[in-house]
Amino acid sequence: KFKNQTHLSLATTHTKHFTRHFVNHIIMALSNANNNNVASKSKKTKKKKKPDPPLMKKREKPPSPSSLNIDTTNTVVQKRAKEENKELVGVFLGEINEDEAKKQRQHAVVLVLGDFGHSPRMQNHASSLLNKGYEVTAIAYKNGSMMKETLRENDGFRFVGISRLNFLRVKKTKMPFVPSIVYFALRVLLQFLQVLLCLFFETGKVKVTNVLVQNPPCLPTFLACAVAKRVMGGKFTIDWHNLGYSIFSMQRKRGGKDVLVRVMKAYEKYFLRYFDHHLTVTEKMKDFLIREWSVDARHISVVKDAPGEQFLRLNTNATREKKKGFRKKTSDVVNVVSSTSWTPDEDFDVLLHAAVLYDEKAKEASGTATKKKKKTKQRLPHLNILITGRGDLRESFETRAKEAKLKHVSFSYAWLPIHEYPERLSMSDVGLCLHQSSSKLDLPMKIVDMFGVGIPVLARRYECLRDELVQEGVNGLTFDTSEELCDALISLLEGWDGNENGTEALNRLEAGVTRDRLDEIFSSSSSSSSSSS
């Protein structure tokens, strides 16, 4: 068994050399034997000569190469054969010269200034590079979420953890006499040194040939990569999930007008010159880089996200039959699922207000409204909204949801392990995405996962989303306000009578995310990174 593809290729090469030299040795031996036989016969026919005097005795000359009928190059071949045979034995015994083998391997570094286990796209990139024969080192925050099992068990993959530097977060350790900018600058400086030292000294003995860095964040990774490229050489690539400065602007009160946001934008644009290639998640992001930041179109590849196999394997008729059985047990409940990191780019106030409106409509439909109002045409089911994920904004949302005292809407919260998430997603009736892109150029991965397991989506509307992922009325509906979200829920669920088949409107959307229809949606997508690597 060979350790990797490099050892296998070396073994194949040495086998060819060994076979060739073995044949040469056989030819040499046969020719020597033939010449010896001819020489012995000629001696028998010749008459014996008197021995020469001792002082006049002549030494016998060694046979010339021509008398043996062998090329003079065979001596060089013999020496080389001995060396290659030693190498061949080393390959078969797993003791090949490591320095020579390492020179023939390619080494890629995947740099994520965040939780690597929480970044499925970058994990897919790493898996794709391993499949291409690369040795891969991932640099990311230590003590993060669990990554894919295929990565953890691969001998060609190694993980290098860096500190999160939580003690320098302003919200946790701010002193009244120290400005926030001091904490920010110190944290950026220490992160820069961590990344740079990891690139120089923690990537193993095999020389780094490729570096793939996730953006955002671009600070300080772009600067660290620019320095590393000058020292190490190699090919550096940015994987654009979004624009770094646009994410940063959502954390500032003045938004894009803030001075620090403008500095961040200039920084992000300037350091593009140090990178050789760019991967984008959408066509619109590619157009932005070409139009606004003058990036050469030849150096940009669009690599859209596509559902992983752990999601696609659940998009089957068997799973849909299982869901129908689940609906029978909870006949008057519709399960809605939303995953989030509880960051400012997802406005859950829109969901809470829409839940209040839906609750009022459901009361009217069931005839339990306190005031006499015109009832809706058909009854509405109870909504069970599961929100998965962790984040700073979760606690405040839970408090406000309890204070609302909703009767026909309930919220539940969970943090699901990566191996349980696809199964729970597939048993839901509708997916919900509140992602409002800071740049309006990216696509949320959670919708890709929801489509992967075969559930339609209600998503926050913006142009790129409607053009490149969610088809209105085919595989989902879009909304912008709480009122529109409430109307979308009613249009899908109105008339739910507890039947396991749901409603006609919901069934139409479910038909748009079956396994065969997904090929149309993701026809221009690669399997998250396989074509780009």
Side-chain angles (χ1 to χ4, degrees):
K1 294 184 180 180
F2 298 101
K3 293 182 178 179
N4 52 42
Q5 191 66 28
T6 304
H7 283 190
L8 179 59
S9 61
L10 285 173
T12 304
T13 303
H14 292 323
T15 302
K16 292 178 181 179
H17 291 321
F18 181 82
T19 305
R20 186 176 70 249
H21 300 323
F22 182 68
V23 172
N24 287 337
H25 288 314
I26 292 174
I27 294 173
M28 186 190 304
L30 291 174
S31 59
N32 282 335
N34 184 44
N35 290 331
N36 290 334
N37 290 334
V38 172
S40 62
K41 289 179 181 180
S42 61
K43 285 182 180 179
K44 291 179 180 179
T45 56
K46 291 181 180 180
K47 294 181 179 180
K48 294 183 179 181
K49 295 182 179 180
K50 292 182 180 181
D52 295 330
L55 295 177
M56 300 297 293
K57 189 175 182 179
K58 297 182 180 179
R59 295 182 181 178
E60 294 182 359
K61 295 182 180 180
S64 63
S66 58
S67 66
L68 296 175
N69 196 23
I70 299 174
D71 295 334
T72 55
T73 56
N74 275 347
T75 54
V76 179
V77 173
Q78 290 172 14
K79 292 181 180 179
R80 179 59 184 158
K82 290 181 180 179
E83 297 173 359
E84 291 182 346
N85 290 341
K86 290 180 180 178
E87 294 174 0
L88 183 62
V89 172
V91 169
F92 286 125
L93 296 180
E95 299 173 352
I96 187 160
N97 188 329
E98 289 296 327
D99 293 335
E100 184 173 347
K102 287 171 183 176
K103 291 178 182 178
Q104 302 183 28
R105 291 206 296 266
Q106 288 188 304
H107 185 188
V109 172
V110 179
L111 176 58
V112 179
L113 198 61
D115 187 347
F116 188 68
H118 197 62
S119 181
R121 179 179 172 90
M122 300 307 289
Q123 291 186 67
N124 290 340
H125 283 317
S127 298
S128 182
L129 289 165
L130 287 169
N131 293 336
K132 295 287 185 180
Y134 282 75
E135 184 173 318
V136 177
T137 299
I139 300 176
Y141 286 157
K142 57 185 177 182
N143 301 325
S145 305
M146 185 175 293
M147 64 189 74
K148 290 182 178 181
E149 186 177 0
T150 53
L151 290 177
R152 289 184 279 114
E153 295 181 352
N154 195 308
D155 294 335
F157 177 81
R158 64 193 301 267
F159 179 83
V160 178
I162 59 177
S163 173
R164 296 173 182 264
L165 301 176
N166 288 330
F167 66 94
L168 288 176
R169 291 186 181 275
V170 176
K171 292 183 180 179
K172 294 185 178 182
T173 58
K174 184 175 180 179
M175 299 179 184
F177 55 87
V178 180
S180 301
I181 190 66
V182 175
Y183 287 97
F184 178 76
L186 184 58
R187 191 162 186 262
V188 168
L189 176 61
L190 293 179
Q191 285 180 334
F192 167 77
L193 293 175
Q194 279 191 107
V195 172
L196 204 60
L197 291 174
C198 286
L199 286 173
F200 286 161
F201 304 111
E202 297 293 337
T203 53
K205 297 181 180 179
V206 182
K207 182 180 179 181
V208 175
T209 56
N210 299 75
V211 176
L212 178 64
V213 56
Q214 174 184 295
N215 182 48
C218 60
L219 189 68
T221 52
F222 280 17
L223 177 59
C225 287
V227 175
K229 183 176 176 64
R230 288 294 185 107
V231 177
M232 299 164 49
K235 182 179 180 181
F236 283 67
T237 303
I238 303 175
D239 188 35
W240 294 85
H241 297 198
N242 206 335
L243 301 178
Y245 82 89
S246 67
I247 293 288
F248 184 62
S249 67
M250 300 190 72
Q251 304 172 15
R252 309 295 295 179
K253 294 180 179 179
R254 299 184 62 194
K257 297 180 180 179
D258 189 271
V259 176
L260 288 179
V261 174
R262 293 181 180 181
V263 172
M264 177 78 79
K265 183 178 181 180
Y267 160 87
E268 192 170 11
K269 180 180 179 180
Y270 174 80
F271 279 94
L272 294 182
R273 65 187 68 187
Y274 293 99
F275 291 85
D276 304 285
H277 203 78
H278 305 268
L279 307 179
T280 64
V281 293
T282 62
E283 293 285 351
K284 288 192 177 295
M285 186 173 289
K286 175 183 177 180
D287 295 340
F288 173 86
L289 294 177
I290 296 171
R291 184 181 65 256
E292 300 294 333
W293 287 355
S294 304
V295 179
D296 191 339
R298 295 172 298 178
H299 298 157
I300 305 177
S301 300
V302 179
V303 184
K304 295 183 179 179
D305 290 312
E309 184 58 35
Q310 69 272 29
F311 297 95
L312 290 174
R313 65 180 177 82
L314 297 172
N315 194 340
T316 60
N317 290 329
T319 302
R320 284 183 275 275
E321 291 299 323
K322 184 178 178 181
K323 187 189 296 186
K324 288 181 180 181
F326 186 68
R327 286 174 178 173
K328 286 183 179 180
K329 297 179 181 179
T330 57
S331 58
D332 195 36
V333 177
V334 171
N335 292 288
V336 180
V337 63
S338 178
S339 59
T340 178
S341 299
W342 297 99
T343 51
D345 62 342
E346 294 185 273
D347 188 0
F348 272 83
D349 288 340
V350 173
L351 172 60
L352 185 57
H353 186 49
V356 172
L357 295 176
Y358 181 91
D359 189 67
E360 293 177 357
K361 296 288 185 180
K363 287 178 182 179
E364 294 175 16
S366 62
T368 59
T370 54
K371 296 182 179 180
K372 293 183 179 180
K373 295 182 180 180
K374 185 178 179 180
K375 295 182 181 180
T376 53
K377 294 180 181 180
Q378 295 178 333
R379 65 191 300 275
L380 294 171
H382 182 91
L383 287 185
N384 177 35
I385 303 176
L386 171 65
I387 305 176
T388 69
R390 296 171 179 166
D392 297 335
L393 301 179
R394 172 177 163 175
E395 185 177 351
S396 62
F397 179 85
E398 287 186 33
T399 303
R400 287 180 284 122
K402 288 180 181 178
E403 294 173 351
K405 296 180 180 180
L406 304 175
K407 183 177 181 180
H408 294 274
V409 180
S410 59
F411 291 96
S412 55
Y413 313 90
W415 169 256
L416 298 177
I418 190 170
H419 61 278
E420 294 182 11
Y421 178 64
E423 184 72 27
R424 185 62 186 87
L425 210 59
S426 66
M427 288 294 103
S428 301
D429 299 298
V430 184
L432 178 63
C433 177
L434 295 165
H435 177 76
Q436 48 179 357
S437 173
S438 60
S439 64
K440 309 301 181 188
L441 300 174
D442 68 322
L443 295 174
M445 186 69 183
K446 66 189 74 176
I447 295 182
V448 176
D449 296 339
M450 292 170 183
F451 283 172
V453 298
I455 63 172
V457 172
L458 301 177
R460 193 78 181 265
R461 184 188 307 121
Y462 58 95
E463 185 179 358
C464 183
L465 181 80
R466 295 186 65 176
D467 290 348
E468 301 192 32
L469 189 58
V470 178
Q471 301 171 10
E472 190 75 27
V474 177
N475 53 28
L477 300 174
T478 60
F479 63 90
D480 190 48
T481 63
S482 299
E483 291 75 14
E484 290 181 1
L485 175 56
C486 179
D487 292 341
L489 287 168
I490 293 174
S491 67
L492 280 183
L493 306 177
E494 193 174 35
W496 188 282
D497 58 358
N499 192 314
E500 65 271 16
N501 293 321
T503 64
E504 292 183 6
L506 183 59
N507 289 337
R508 282 197 302 270
L509 294 186
E510 287 180 340
V513 288
T514 55
R515 186 70 178 265
D516 55 336
R517 295 294 297 274
L518 292 182
D519 294 336
E520 302 174 9
I521 303 174
F522 301 106
S523 59
S524 61
S525 307
S526 73
S527 173
S528 190
S529 67
S530 57
S531 67
S532 65
S533 299

